[in-house]
Amino acid sequence: MADRNARPESSAPKAAYELEEPTLATARAALQGYFGPHTEDLWLTLLFDAGLTGDETGSRAVNRLIATMQASHPIARLCARSLAVRVAVYDRLVAKRPGSAVST
């Protein structure tokens, strides 16, 4: 009976969490949801204040942007808080797993 309930595809362990690492593009998309057509000016200001070009990859750039957003417009601060939570969740559930690659 146990054999009948076992699914062959479930015998191999899979990643428990299929989360993507938050990026600058993730932050920009989040801001777009709040600011709509006014996002571009705020985005360029945030990048300038963070000392970023927008082409950076990795968690260091995202963390710099989050810190800058936290000192910005009240809605950008709210967006920064949710982005910081996403980064923390990613770090705890995905990036720290053995064998996973972590970009910086």
Side-chain angles (χ1 to χ4, degrees):
M1 183 165 194
D3 292 336
R4 203 171 35 174
N5 293 329
R7 288 180 267 150
E9 68 275 1
S10 66
S11 61
K14 292 183 185 178
Y17 309 100
E18 295 181 12
L19 301 173
E20 292 184 20
E21 181 176 14
T23 63
L24 293 180
T26 306
R28 187 175 189 167
L31 288 168
Q32 180 74 35
Y34 287 111
F35 291 96
H38 306 288
T39 304
E40 193 62 25
D41 289 337
L42 176 63
W43 178 248
L44 293 174
T45 300
L46 289 170
L47 289 176
F48 179 80
D49 290 349
L52 300 170
T53 65
D55 295 325
E56 295 84 358
T57 59
S59 60
R60 202 172 288 157
V62 174
N63 289 329
R64 282 176 64 180
L65 183 66
I66 289 171
T68 301
M69 290 170 67
Q70 289 171 337
S72 182
H73 186 280
I75 295 189
R77 285 191 296 241
L78 178 65
C79 190
R81 187 173 184 173
S82 66
L83 189 59
V85 168
R86 290 179 71 181
V87 168
V89 167
Y90 179 84
D91 286 347
R92 286 182 179 89
L93 298 180
V94 178
K96 304 298 185 201
R97 291 186 49 182
S100 66
V102 178
S103 62
T104 55

